[in-house]
Amino acid sequence: MLDEINMTPEQIKGIKRIVITACGTAYHAGLVGKYVIEQLVRLPVEVDIASEFRYRDPIIDKDTLVVVVSQSGETADTLAALREARRRGARVVAITNVIASSVAREADDIIYTWAGPEISVASTKAYTTQLVAMYLLALYLAQERNTLAAGNIKEILGELKSIYAKAQEVLDNAAPVKEFAQQYHRSEDTFFIGRGLDYAVALEGSLKLKEISYIHAEAYAAGELKHGTLALIVENIPVIALATQQSLFEKMVSNIKEVKARDASVIALAMEGHTEVAKIADRVLYIPKTHQILAPILTVIPLQLLAYYMAVYRGCDVDKPRNLAKSVTVE
Ligand code: BG6
């Protein structure tokens, strides 16, 4: 039920490009949105940090659909980006959790994420629900623009409806993450690597680790490592390798071998059945099989847990992370 999307079929067909803008974790949900919308709707999508977008004299017009993502709906930079987009004639869809928030009031269309009040200061379920909103938006646009067969839309929707049970499975089988955290919580540097959608999730995983355990983390597009930073992969450095994307799996295996050749300690996240990864990684956590486009919903869970366990083993107060606020209404 996207009953607060008011675009007419003609307006949807008239969209030439999409710009997604947000801050922090919401920006990372936007990165997943880019991959998903481009793949399903075949429209060019740009993702921009709201504090960059608003000051950059952005190129947008009435044929641009701007999507703003904000859990609180009150983030100053995101709100300013929304106003800038509307001033330039773009239509704005808001993905937000808070009913009647500023972002919701000022947007043309709204998708509420219905996450309920988020207690954790570090954004967790807000991210998951923002992903779901992105999938629904992409599927709706794909349906209206005829870029995806009805059968495929039904298949993805069906999987989306039942994915909560797989999320529970991930939570129940997260022991390798806890063990990895116990072993490496004293590390001061970590790397997250992935390709495609896994890269977008790697960015969110590294942000969570930094936010609550204060460990330096770098998220890298796995194919980019060899263009410089491989020098930082040294003995025993923890590398979290995301390899859930079937079409990129072989490439990821090569990247894992690259870091293993430098004696990194690797925990890999792979889809069930991809057991060959166990031969090269030190530990593997298997994600229940799902449509590869929906994998981020499941993949982020072990990364959030990793940040949590690392923080707990380091004696950090996960409920009161240093310098982290739920909502930032100043610039
Ligand atoms: C930061 C929060 O201040 O703002 C992050 O600490 C959040 O957790 C970001 O992702 C954006 O907030 P919002 O409410 O616009 O999604």
Side-chain angles (χ1 to χ4, degrees):
M1 286 190 293
L2 296 176
D3 45 11
E4 304 216 42
I5 297 277
N6 306 308
M7 277 179 277
T8 62
E10 289 64 41
Q11 282 169 327
I12 293 179
K13 289 198 179 87
I15 301 168
K16 299 269 184 310
R17 56 192 273 273
I18 295 181
V19 173
I20 302 174
T21 184
C23 302
T25 288
Y27 165 73
H28 290 159
L31 291 175
V32 171
K34 173 186 167 72
Y35 282 93
V36 172
I37 295 172
E38 286 193 345
Q39 196 169 330
L40 303 183
V41 193
R42 307 308 297 156
L43 272 172
V45 182
E46 246 177 83
V47 193
D48 214 344
I49 294 166
S51 57
E52 291 295 312
F53 174 88
R54 59 180 290 201
Y55 295 117
R56 217 193 45 229
D57 196 6
I59 304 172
I60 45 172
D61 57 20
K62 63 174 185 30
D63 298 328
T64 314
L65 181 70
V66 172
V67 181
V68 298
V69 190
S70 174
Q71 188 281 134
S72 62
E74 303 296 344
T75 299
D77 284 319
T78 308
L79 190 56
L82 178 158
R83 288 175 180 156
E84 184 59 24
R86 293 203 73 216
R87 199 176 65 79
R88 288 170 190 248
R91 195 175 176 98
V92 176
V93 176
I95 294 180
T96 183
N97 192 35
V98 179
I99 295 168
S101 56
S102 302
V103 158
R105 282 200 312 272
E106 296 192 29
D108 299 283
D109 305 277
I110 312 165
I111 302 180
Y112 283 118
T113 51
W114 301 111
E118 197 180 46
I119 308 301
S120 158
V121 180
S123 180
T124 47
K125 68 176 178 176
Y127 175 78
T128 307
T129 54
Q130 285 161 358
L131 295 189
V132 175
M134 281 292 175
Y135 291 119
L136 294 179
L137 178 64
L139 289 167
Y140 182 58
L141 296 179
Q143 175 189 292
E144 296 300 306
R145 292 175 67 100
N146 281 321
T147 52
L148 197 64
N152 291 343
I153 294 179
K154 215 174 152 196
E155 185 202 342
I156 300 176
L157 272 179
E159 183 61 22
L160 199 52
K161 274 190 198 164
S162 60
I163 206 163
Y164 67 92
K166 294 180 182 174
Q168 185 61 52
E169 252 183 78
V170 178
L171 286 168
D172 294 342
N173 297 315
V177 174
K178 191 173 180 186
E179 289 158 19
F180 193 79
Q182 190 171 24
Q183 195 170 351
Y184 293 106
H185 67 274
R186 288 188 191 86
S187 304
E188 289 306 329
D189 301 290
T190 54
F191 275 81
F192 289 70
I193 58 172
R195 287 170 177 258
L197 278 168
D198 279 336
Y199 171 48
V201 181
L203 284 159
E204 176 59 9
S206 84
L207 177 65
K208 283 296 89 101
L209 191 65
K210 286 180 274 202
E211 280 179 342
I212 63 168
S213 73
Y214 321 127
I215 298 173
H216 169 233
E218 295 264 356
Y220 248 84
E224 187 68 6
L225 264 185
K226 58 183 169 299
H227 297 295
T229 44
L230 254 184
L232 295 178
I233 303 292
V234 291
E235 195 178 347
N236 280 332
I237 193 163
V239 174
I240 298 93
L242 282 60
T244 70
Q245 298 294 295
Q246 172 77 35
S247 50
L248 298 164
F249 183 73
E250 292 309 325
K251 295 282 168 200
M252 270 311 293
V253 167
S254 308
N255 295 132
I256 297 173
K257 284 182 181 158
E258 257 166 25
V259 297
K260 276 310 299 175
R262 285 153 183 88
D263 294 321
S265 299
V266 177
I267 180 163
L269 269 53
M271 282 239 190
E272 252 166 22
H274 277 153
T275 47
E276 60 267 46
V277 77
K279 289 184 209 132
I280 39 172
D282 299 270
R283 283 196 179 77
V284 185
L285 191 136
Y286 293 104
I287 304 288
K289 273 208 181 101
T290 184
H291 194 294
Q292 92 168 13
I293 215 167
L294 301 181
I297 294 181
L298 301 178
T299 315
V300 75
I301 298 171
L303 304 185
Q304 292 166 340
L305 284 174
L306 181 70
Y308 169 79
Y309 287 127
M310 287 283 213
V312 169
Y313 283 127
R314 285 166 78 92
C316 305
D317 184 348
V318 291
D319 292 322
K320 294 193 188 68
R322 204 161 76 197
N323 298 336
L324 199 66
K326 200 66 228 140
S327 151
V328 177
T329 52
V330 292
E331 294 182 17

